[in-house]
Amino acid sequence: MTSTAAIEPTAGGGPGAGADSGDTLTGRDRESADIDRSLNDPDGPRIIFVAGERGAGRTAFLRAAARRHGAAGGTVLPVDCVPGDGLRPYLLALRLVRTLEQHRPAPGGPRRTGDPVAEMAAAVEHGDRTAAAEALTGALAHAAPAVVVVDDVQYADRASVDLLGVLDMAQAAPGVRLVLSLLRPGGVAGRREAPSGGDAAGLLPVRHPAARVIDMAPLARAEVAALLAQRLQAVPDRALTGLVHETSRGLPAAVDILLAEWARHGEVLTAGRPALLDGGRVLPAAPRDNRFTEALRALGEPAEKVASGLSVLWPLGPAVCALIAEVYGLPAADVRAGLRELLDAGIVEELPVREDGATRGWRFRLPLTKHAVRERLGPMERGRLAAAAVQALWAAGDRTGGGSASGGAGEPGGWTAGAEPAAYVVAEADAGTYLPNRIVEAGPLIDAERAVAELVAATERMGRGPGRRFTLRWLKAAAQLAGETATRDELLLARAMRAVVEADHRSVRGAVEELLQSAAGRGGPGEEPLQTGISALVGATSGAGLFPELSHMTEPRWWWPLGLPPAAVALGRALALCCLGRWRAAEEVLGQPGAQWSAGAAGVLPEVCRGIAELVLGRPERFRRSLTLPEIGALSEQGRQMVTLVQVQQLLNCGDLREAADLLAARRMTVEETPAHVRFQWRRLEGRWNEAMRHLRWLRANGHPVASSLHIHLYPERATVILLARGRIGATRRLIADIREGLDPLAEPRHLLDRAEAEVAWMLGDPAEAVRVLRRGVATARTHGEVFATDELLAGLAGLLVQAGDLPGAAVCVRRLEEITARTEGGRSRLLWLVASARLHAAGDPEAARKHLADAVALARSREQPFETATTLLAAARLGEKPAALLTEAYELFGQVGAPLWRFRTRADMRRAKVPVPDHDHAMAEGDQLLATLVSEGLRNRQIAAVLGLSPGAVANRLTRLFARTGARSRTELVTAVLRRSMPAADW
């Protein structure tokens, strides 16, 4: 009987890949080395225990070890235990004897007397423990060398376990090893008595002090990340890793269950290489039965009922027993009995006791189990449990002034003789979210007025930053409980603005539409709240890429059913026109007599909207004035937030990072309180590119279209700057194609996208195509009267024309760039004009060129944008004199932001200028990584040569050396190495 015929890998639950099917398991390298060493050492332990809690991966671990042992020429004899075996005494012992007898040594060995199988059968029939022990010992003594693997010993019968406990493995034949896998409940309370019945298997290692015990501990966070990468065939996002590690507590089976449930709902997405989770639903809803819930169901009542109550009430400490008994009408003794069963099964664990020895409460050993049990509860049952929790916390808070109920400090609200302990939120729970979430679930079962006040206060405590989408649920519930009142209008608007920050377009639209429809009969909200809601509604429609509806919003008849005043309709139409890029039409609508708002705060947002339209058309005066309008101070919190977000977004679009920062500070806001697409722009300009790309990945993974309007989302085009700087040529081309394919005929053409497309063509060695694309972009912008971002097109075109020797054509571009700079007074435009002028004058007027370069370097440094500064320094070094300091500084800045392609080019310039390149070994490794990235992007050698500025032969030589260093035998293997980050690639 050979090693692995009866031991096959089990399928995992993760999408895209099964469970580990190789010879080693992800995250179990140390344990694998341990068991291999023990099995292969002639003087090693004769008996080995593999212990771990449910879901730790004991079975998969044993099977992988068996495959390795079999591949090395050894023999593995599998003997598995299953539920129900405990009802038949000596069943496991009989199976062991039969298996060993089937693997008898070759003829010619010592003669044997008797039949061990028959002897064991007789011992089983008569319950003769002595005879059973002799039969098992005899079978071991005369067996051929083999490893006997017994999985799930916890299911074995007590009689066999007792035999194994006194088994003398020294009498076993040479080369015979016994490997026993057993379940450790894990997380049991410190005051529990010794296990009984089937749990006696847990005492086996104690009875064999010379045995080797391999503990299958839960995986650490880094090991969970590696497991996710293996399952998903993609690098997991840090947030996804953290959520999975916390929910699974590092148990591989729990990880697979989570991935399988997410995949079933289509919620695990990949955007490029990293894997992300759809933020719309954090944990999977209504998970199917799995090994953890089945273990709970096997206990039956009252344990199942107690578990249901604990899934909602566990943070309330020792008060949960009385609350469960009250809600379900159970006797206290039944609750205690159910709790004891849950503890004995390792499903629930006792929280660390207090210093005085009193119980602090209980929690589920595995958060996944708690989530699954909670999700299975019906709305009425969950509502009753939640209402009990709310009433208990309110009562405790009323008695103690609120501290005990909501502080989460772990101190009880009070213990009195003969009385149930007061409710409090234990320190292990999130006190800031527990009570509000229970209020939402309790709904009409509790006092509505107090519930609304509690939810509003909890929302305010959470602040306005992103990542708090749960507050949308609180505000929605508060609005429902508030009834048809003005308070409800305020709550709906507050929910809409929080949804704006979360980039939750569906919630924005739902809240604003409900606000407008429900308030119409009462005359509607005031002018300023009304315009804030309209702005949020139009922005969400654009952000979701709903271009047909956005087009309908440009017509008055779309707004008529809402019963809005003419000025409100005009604002909505104008905003929709801006989102579609129809700037002139938006300006005309806002200039009509019917579009006049009342004086004061109500006129701020229309003025800002009109200012942006004029700015895009080359008239920045109104927008600049709107930044300091005194009426902004009179706006409501939501109105001021909306105006600030719109203005900051436009400043970032124009590359004015410092002015955007000053504006946020003046309005007492932070960048963390802005939507993801704004934070992407901010971090990109700030030089924190890895963080910027995380925001971009989140946007794409959560269904935010890359082809949204220029007015709302500029992030996809700006992402190409980072992608190209990191050698992601193929990803850039795909992104450009996605944007162009996603453009709706209703939206105006994107001249800005031509900048990115031209840069790709130039990188791939086709400057003529780059010139053609840039000319097309300039012509498109002129057709629509747009000035915004044409400075970048003209600057790029001027540089290419200078390289081609077309100085007259370049001069025309520089003059038009100078005109734009004078009209807009933009810092970015002036910087581009200075560099373009220097390039134009480099040959004919060196003095003028030096003056322009000096001014450009000074301006770039004052703008404090690392990548912009670095490219300016590189241009100055190439055109000016004494480039050493400039090249060194540019090289460091390119490294700071993570731009390996620009670092490669700068190194080439440094070598030509005989400037030392710091850290030669790191530079070589970075060059290898960049080359592998370009290969992974699907570029041929000639294209790679164009990107790197090398000859095709030089590229071929570099690839040959890279293959030798990495051990890759083909471009496909090299790409695989990059994708799996055994050789790290640029983050995307």
Side-chain angles (χ1 to χ4, degrees):
M1 182 175 180
T2 57
S3 58
T4 59
I7 299 184
E8 295 297 331
T10 56
D20 296 90
S21 57
D23 290 339
T24 58
L25 301 182
T26 303
R28 297 299 187 194
D29 294 341
R30 179 178 55 80
E31 293 87 348
S32 297
D34 193 352
I35 195 171
D36 290 348
R37 186 167 50 249
S38 299
L39 292 178
N40 296 326
D41 183 1
D43 299 322
R46 307 295 296 277
I47 185 168
I48 301 170
F49 293 100
V50 177
E53 61 183 294
R54 184 178 291 105
R58 292 173 293 110
T59 299
F61 176 78
L62 289 179
R63 293 177 176 181
R67 287 193 295 270
R68 294 193 301 274
H69 192 70
T75 300
V76 178
L77 305 178
V79 180
D80 294 342
C81 299
V82 296
D85 284 359
L87 301 177
R88 301 175 60 185
Y90 297 111
L91 176 60
L92 174 58
L94 179 60
R95 286 174 176 167
L96 285 172
V97 171
R98 285 175 174 169
T99 300
L100 290 167
E101 281 299 291
Q102 291 173 3
H103 186 65
R104 301 178 63 175
R111 294 180 59 84
R112 299 178 60 184
T113 60
D115 183 352
V117 175
E119 293 171 2
M120 176 58 76
V124 170
E125 182 179 356
H126 297 94
D128 188 338
R129 185 178 187 279
T130 301
E134 290 176 352
L136 178 58
T137 302
L140 288 167
H142 295 91
V147 173
V148 183
V149 177
V150 184
D151 195 14
D152 287 330
V153 176
Q154 73 276 1
Y155 294 132
D157 62 279
R158 177 64 181 268
S160 295
V161 171
D162 286 343
L163 286 185
L164 293 174
V166 297
L167 190 63
D168 184 6
M169 286 299 295
Q171 298 184 40
V176 175
R177 306 284 177 87
L178 192 59
V179 180
L180 302 175
S181 159
L182 53 93
L183 175 69
R184 262 185 192 157
V188 297
R191 296 180 297 188
R192 292 186 63 208
E193 56 270 12
S196 60
D199 288 341
L203 296 177
L204 284 175
V206 177
R207 298 175 185 174
H208 289 273
R212 181 74 182 99
V213 179
I214 298 176
D215 186 18
M216 302 290 287
L219 301 179
R221 181 183 175 118
E223 294 167 333
V224 169
L227 184 62
L228 288 173
Q230 189 273 335
R231 296 292 197 264
L232 296 168
Q233 292 296 291
V235 181
D237 180 79
R238 289 189 300 180
L240 175 60
T241 299
L243 177 64
V244 172
H245 181 252
E246 177 184 354
T247 308
S248 69
R249 291 187 77 165
L251 298 179
V255 173
D256 282 341
I257 290 168
L258 277 170
L259 292 179
E261 288 298 325
W262 277 322
R264 185 165 67 95
H265 293 286
E267 289 172 342
V268 172
L269 308 175
T270 56
R273 293 193 178 107
L276 301 99
L277 181 66
D278 184 345
R281 184 182 294 136
V282 178
L283 287 175
R288 295 170 296 187
D289 273 330
N290 54 67
R291 67 177 67 189
F292 302 104
T293 56
E294 288 170 353
L296 171 61
R297 291 175 59 185
L299 299 179
E301 298 292 352
E304 282 191 273
K305 194 66 71 178
V306 173
S308 296
L310 282 174
S311 70
V312 175
L313 301 173
W314 76 267
L316 300 185
V320 299
C321 289
L323 293 174
I324 291 174
E326 175 187 343
V327 171
Y328 289 114
L330 295 174
D334 285 358
V335 174
R336 288 193 296 269
L339 183 59
R340 174 56 56 191
E341 286 189 274
L342 294 171
L343 286 166
D344 289 343
I347 295 171
V348 168
E349 62 185 0
E350 189 176 283
L351 293 172
V353 298
R354 300 191 311 166
E355 292 183 0
D356 61 2
T359 298
R360 290 185 56 247
W362 307 268
R363 67 179 174 189
F364 282 83
R365 168 69 181 164
L366 185 66
L368 174 63
T369 307
K370 179 200 69 176
H371 172 73
V373 173
R374 276 194 77 248
E375 290 299 310
R376 300 284 181 90
L377 298 178
M380 287 300 298
E381 183 179 5
R382 188 183 300 187
R384 290 169 55 210
L385 289 167
V390 173
Q391 300 289 6
L393 287 173
W394 281 354
D398 291 342
R399 288 196 297 269
T400 62
S404 65
S406 59
E411 293 299 327
W415 288 81
T416 56
E420 292 294 343
Y424 66 97
V425 180
V426 298
E428 288 79 1
D430 185 353
T433 61
Y434 179 74
L435 178 57
N437 283 334
R438 300 296 79 77
I439 291 174
V440 171
E441 293 170 346
L445 299 179
I446 56 176
D447 180 75
E449 184 175 353
R450 184 169 183 177
V452 171
E454 290 266 13
L455 291 173
V456 171
T459 302
E460 291 174 350
R461 285 195 299 270
M462 287 296 161
R464 295 181 299 190
R468 300 171 178 85
R469 186 171 295 188
F470 49 82
T471 60
L472 299 178
R473 184 169 174 250
W474 300 351
L475 290 171
K476 181 178 182 179
Q480 291 171 342
L481 291 170
E484 294 293 330
T485 63
T487 300
R488 182 169 182 265
D489 294 346
E490 296 174 5
L491 291 169
L492 288 170
L493 189 58
R495 178 178 167 226
M497 287 308 300
R498 284 183 176 267
V500 166
V501 175
E502 295 293 341
D504 185 347
H505 302 314
R506 179 178 298 178
S507 292
V508 173
R509 287 168 56 82
V512 176
E513 288 173 355
E514 188 176 352
L515 169 67
L516 297 179
Q517 291 169 2
S518 65
R522 302 191 313 275
E527 285 185 316
E528 186 234 306
L530 181 60
Q531 66 179 354
T532 301
I534 290 173
S535 300
L537 176 63
V538 175
T541 305
S542 172
L546 303 176
F547 288 110
E549 185 167 0
L550 198 63
S551 179
H552 293 320
M553 285 180 164
T554 66
E555 300 296 332
R557 61 175 175 270
W558 189 92
W559 302 90
W560 289 341
L562 298 175
L564 301 177
V569 174
L571 177 62
R573 292 180 58 207
L575 288 168
L577 288 166
C578 287
C579 290
L580 291 172
R582 296 166 60 183
W583 308 101
R584 287 174 174 165
E587 185 182 17
E588 292 173 1
V589 169
L590 287 172
Q592 293 172 357
Q596 300 307 308
W597 290 83
S598 302
V604 172
L605 195 52
E607 184 72 3
V608 171
C609 178
R610 188 171 180 180
I612 291 175
E614 293 182 3
L615 174 66
V616 173
L617 297 173
R619 303 192 304 275
E621 296 80 14
R622 188 184 299 271
F623 176 74
R624 292 292 173 186
R625 288 197 305 270
S626 74
L627 297 175
T628 56
L629 286 173
E631 292 83 359
I632 292 176
L635 292 171
S636 65
E637 179 183 353
Q638 285 80 20
R640 186 166 56 253
Q641 183 184 10
M642 173 60 75
V643 168
T644 302
L645 291 178
V646 171
Q647 291 176 328
V648 166
Q649 180 176 280
Q650 190 57 45
L651 289 171
L652 295 175
N653 289 348
C654 295
D656 294 332
L657 178 62
R658 288 187 61 186
E659 194 166 0
D662 292 342
L663 183 63
L664 276 185
R667 306 278 172 82
R668 297 182 180 180
M669 289 178 61
T670 67
V671 66
E672 294 304 330
E673 297 173 345
T674 62
H677 65 271
V678 174
R679 279 176 279 131
F680 165 78
Q681 285 273 55
W682 195 292
R683 298 310 183 200
R684 182 189 70 83
L685 295 175
E686 204 174 32
R688 294 162 64 174
W689 281 6
N690 287 341
E691 190 173 340
M693 295 306 284
R694 282 198 296 273
H695 293 315
L696 178 68
R697 292 197 304 269
W698 184 91
L699 286 163
R700 297 199 69 193
N702 284 276
H704 294 262
V706 296
S708 294
S709 70
L710 176 63
H711 175 55
I712 299 298
H713 295 301
L714 200 63
Y715 66 86
E717 193 279 337
R718 294 310 191 197
T720 63
V721 175
I722 300 177
L723 292 175
L724 291 175
R726 292 181 164 182
R728 301 298 311 281
I729 314 295
T732 302
R733 297 168 84 175
R734 290 191 296 273
L735 182 56
I736 292 173
D738 288 345
I739 298 173
R740 291 210 180 277
E741 290 174 5
L743 281 175
D744 193 278
L746 299 169
E748 297 290 358
R750 283 293 171 81
H751 65 272
L752 185 62
L753 194 60
D754 291 321
R755 182 211 59 80
E757 194 168 334
E759 187 174 358
V760 172
W762 172 74
M763 280 190 171
L764 295 177
D766 192 351
E769 173 63 12
V771 168
R772 186 193 69 79
V773 172
L774 288 172
R775 289 190 187 277
R776 180 184 66 193
V778 172
T780 299
R782 181 185 299 174
T783 299
H784 295 90
E786 297 179 5
V787 175
F788 173 73
T790 55
D791 51 359
E792 299 174 74
L793 300 177
L794 291 168
L797 183 57
L800 289 174
L801 293 177
V802 168
Q803 292 179 12
D806 185 0
L807 297 184
V812 172
C813 293
V814 170
R815 282 196 300 272
R816 293 181 60 185
L817 189 54
E818 185 176 15
E819 294 172 0
I820 292 174
T821 302
R823 290 174 61 183
T824 62
E825 299 179 353
R828 180 184 65 190
S829 297
R830 177 169 174 76
L831 180 60
L832 293 171
W833 171 72
L834 288 170
V835 175
S837 297
R839 286 175 174 151
L840 179 63
H841 296 303
D845 192 350
E847 185 61 31
R850 280 192 293 271
K851 174 65 169 61
H852 286 311
L853 288 173
D855 291 345
V857 170
L859 177 57
R861 285 174 172 157
S862 71
R863 285 167 57 79
E864 299 179 349
Q865 298 177 28
F867 182 71
E868 180 184 79
T869 302
T871 54
T872 303
L873 293 171
L874 185 59
R878 289 174 174 176
L879 296 172
E881 301 173 356
K882 300 179 180 179
L886 297 176
L887 287 172
T888 301
E889 183 180 354
Y891 187 71
E892 292 175 354
L893 288 173
F894 285 135
Q896 175 183 321
V897 301
L901 180 53
W902 285 91
R903 291 254 290 182
F904 185 93
R905 293 170 176 170
T906 307
R907 279 196 297 271
D909 286 359
M910 293 170 79
R911 284 191 291 268
R912 283 191 291 268
K914 298 182 180 179
V915 177
V917 176
D919 197 348
H920 179 74
D921 291 342
H922 177 75
M924 289 292 294
E926 188 177 75
D928 286 348
Q929 175 181 325
L930 175 61
L931 183 58
T933 299
L934 293 172
V935 172
S936 74
E937 293 295 299
L939 270 61
R940 301 183 301 275
N941 281 13
R942 187 171 297 279
Q943 291 174 311
I944 294 174
V947 172
L948 298 180
L950 301 173
S951 68
V955 170
N957 291 335
R958 285 174 178 263
L959 280 173
T960 300
R961 294 194 296 270
L962 182 58
F963 284 135
R965 283 194 292 272
T966 61
R969 292 168 295 181
S970 67
R971 296 171 80 96
T972 301
E973 289 188 8
L974 190 62
V975 169
T976 301
V978 173
L979 290 175
R980 293 184 178 177
R981 293 206 177 181
S982 57
M983 183 177 188
D987 190 21
W988 166 224

